[in-house]
Amino acid sequence: MNNLKINGQRLWDSLMEMAQHGATPKGGVCRLALTDVDKAARDLFVRWCEEAGCAVTIDQMGNIFGRREGRDPSRAPIMMGSHIDSQPTGGKYDGIYGVLAGLEVIRTLNDAGIETAAPIEVSAWTNEEGSRFAPAMVSSGVFAGVFDLEYGLSRADLDGVSMGEELQRIGYAGAAPVGGREVGAFFEAHIEQGPILEDEGYTIGVVTDAQGQRWYEVTFTGQEAHAGPTPMGSRRDALLGAARIIDAVNRIGLAHQPNACATVGLIQASPNSRNVIPGRVFFTVDLRHPDDAVLSQMDTALRAALEQVAGEVGLRMDFEQIWYSPPVRFDEACIKAVRGAAEAEGFSHRDMVSGAGHDACYIARVAPTSMIFIPCVDGISHNEVEETTPEWVTAGGQVLLRAVLERAR
Ligand code: HGY
Ligand code: MN
Ligand code: MN
């Protein structure tokens, strides 16, 4: 088994074929959760799993599991996986790499005629991105018991369409219960989505932790009025309030270095007319830090800034923290398996904390879990130019194979 090698070319070709689903002119993908292009990508993944001899199960949140039996069906499965959905201007590798690397491990075991003791599963988790439906990682969250099924299915996009409706529409409202079953271990391979591995010249990231996140939704309500006759002193300009908070969020991030991240990514002003003072603005805030206490300090600073600006500008404020995902420490034995696999394969590697959230963060609550990172070019992700190399893709898949075999023996 020690010289078993994945077929890197087959993995790369599968990535390129899958990237056709939602392909954008700039070379990225727009494959928002539960849209028709997500369905098409899901259908292709299911077909590939079946062609690889896997039994495919879909659960009530649309999570997909391809299962390869082992000698001992009573053993909990060793699972690999990630997500198929993307950001609106996403890349060809975020999420789908971990899904297809898992499939490649199964294809490689098939080619070699290797039977593992434990069953092996490859999974794809619904709406990891939290772009179309908030929050992120919602379906792995239901699997891990963080959210109940009703909450998960009720999550609606900005047009008010719910995940439950969309799962029915695209035919992925599965019958299987979500979670409540033992998973022997979970490994998620993923691009780093940051610059560290490439800048420092490492091939593999041994992910020990993931930072915590808090997501908020804010609505400022002022008063629509004419941009001409309305004196500056009597305005209640909701967009002015949002502008001050956008600057305050950036300053909160800078004030909690190292490591803090703070972002306003989504904003909707109304009536969005060039000569009307904006009466209503909806926007989101994303705060992150690997230390929970510092993340709480950032939360406190945000709430203070919101109160102050609403008072200054004379705005009504509706404010909700819609999501809190605490920092995660992954499983020591799984971390060791990944590190050992990188060493056995002769890949340079370093321990690191994930800046992004991943389904592994929630699966870690119900199974021994860790992650494998590969570099991405210039550390860019959540961008159509997201890129990595066949060598890095192969290396990550090879480490995944070894780590999984260690746990599935
Ligand atoms: O936001 C994140 O960290 C992930 O991409 N969902
Ligand atoms: Mn991802
Ligand atoms: Mn992402």
Side-chain angles (χ1 to χ4, degrees):
M1 280 235 233
N2 279 346
N3 54 13
L4 190 60
K5 299 294 180 195
I6 68 158
N7 182 331
Q9 186 60 53
R10 177 171 58 191
L11 173 51
W12 185 263
D13 293 346
S14 296
L15 280 164
M16 294 307 115
E17 184 171 347
M18 186 61 87
Q20 297 314 306
H21 293 292
T24 63
K26 288 187 194 169
V29 292
C30 175
R31 202 164 52 222
L32 292 176
L34 305 182
T35 55
D36 290 341
V37 286
D38 185 29
K39 171 183 169 44
R42 287 165 162 262
D43 292 348
L44 178 57
F45 173 58
V46 167
R47 176 159 66 80
W48 280 346
C49 285
E50 288 168 343
E51 287 169 357
C54 293
V56 175
T57 303
I58 315 288
D59 73 15
Q60 293 166 294
M61 284 302 297
N63 297 315
I64 303 168
F65 303 92
R67 181 182 174 94
R68 182 181 194 264
E69 284 308 334
R71 272 191 305 282
D72 180 356
S74 70
R75 284 266 306 264
I78 305 304
M79 196 186 282
M80 310 162 281
S82 191
H83 59 94
I84 293 176
D85 66 305
S86 82
Q87 289 287 337
T89 53
K92 295 196 286 283
Y93 308 95
D94 177 358
I96 192 64
Y97 168 61
V99 175
L100 297 183
L103 177 63
E104 176 53 34
V105 165
I106 287 176
R107 287 169 166 170
T108 299
L109 295 174
N110 289 345
D111 293 347
I114 288 173
E115 188 187 38
T116 53
I120 305 257
E121 290 189 14
V122 56
S123 55
W125 303 97
T126 302
N127 189 60
E128 185 281 338
E129 287 293 0
S131 176
R132 182 180 178 194
F133 305 99
M137 300 139 56
V138 66
S139 304
S140 47
V142 175
F143 187 92
V146 174
F147 308 117
D148 63 33
L149 177 64
E150 189 194 353
Y151 170 86
L153 294 173
S154 72
R155 305 310 295 156
D157 64 15
L158 292 177
D159 298 324
V161 180
S162 74
M163 287 187 73
E165 290 167 317
E166 286 292 85
L167 283 166
Q168 293 289 347
R169 184 181 69 82
I170 68 166
Y172 276 89
V178 187
R181 66 185 177 101
E182 201 192 348
V183 175
F186 180 71
F187 294 97
E188 181 168 2
H190 206 287
I191 53 171
E192 178 200 338
Q193 301 181 293
I196 296 169
L197 291 175
E198 187 186 43
D199 285 355
E200 297 183 7
Y202 290 103
T203 302
I204 295 293
V206 179
V207 187
T208 56
D209 305 74
Q211 66 179 345
Q213 315 189 35
R214 287 178 183 267
W215 282 17
Y216 308 85
E217 290 181 349
V218 185
T219 301
F220 275 154
T221 305
Q223 185 179 51
E224 290 166 17
H226 198 303
T230 310
M232 293 305 284
S234 61
R235 295 176 175 213
R236 290 192 289 122
D237 181 340
L239 194 50
L240 172 63
R244 289 185 181 171
I245 292 299
I246 291 167
D247 180 55
V249 164
N250 181 261
R251 282 188 279 109
I252 289 168
L254 295 173
H256 292 86
Q257 292 304 307
N259 302 316
C261 291
T263 313
V264 173
L266 187 161
I267 185 164
Q268 291 176 321
S270 96
N272 222 24
S273 169
R274 62 194 72 224
N275 49 359
V276 177
I277 299 166
R280 181 181 179 282
V281 175
F282 169 83
F283 60 95
T284 63
V285 181
D286 174 327
L287 301 181
R288 306 196 191 198
H289 200 281
D291 178 332
D292 212 26
V294 177
L295 188 58
S296 296
Q297 290 162 14
M298 295 167 72
D299 173 83
T300 304
L302 172 66
R303 292 170 191 266
L306 286 162
E307 289 299 335
Q308 183 188 334
V309 167
E312 278 168 7
V313 184
L315 304 173
R316 198 189 83 224
M317 174 173 72
D318 297 293
F319 166 79
E320 183 186 1
Q321 176 180 282
I322 65 158
W323 185 42
Y324 163 54
S325 173
V328 175
R329 175 76 189 179
F330 289 122
D331 173 78
E332 296 308 327
C334 288
I335 291 168
K336 197 160 161 282
V338 169
R339 192 181 294 120
E343 279 161 6
E345 293 290 341
F347 297 135
S348 59
H349 60 86
R350 58 155 282 173
D351 288 7
M352 58 194 308
V353 175
S354 174
H358 301 283
D359 292 305
C361 297
Y362 276 152
I363 304 304
R365 297 191 182 202
V366 292
T369 296
S370 75
M371 295 189 72
I372 301 159
F373 274 176
I374 61 169
C376 52
V377 174
D378 299 334
I380 297 288
S381 181
H382 284 193
N383 182 317
E384 294 160 280
V385 303
E386 180 185 280
E387 196 50 84
T388 185
T389 69
E391 293 71 31
W392 288 336
V393 158
T394 303
Q398 192 62 31
V399 168
L400 181 64
L401 171 69
R402 270 192 179 266
V404 163
L405 281 179
E406 180 180 310
R407 300 297 298 245
R409 284 186 199 291

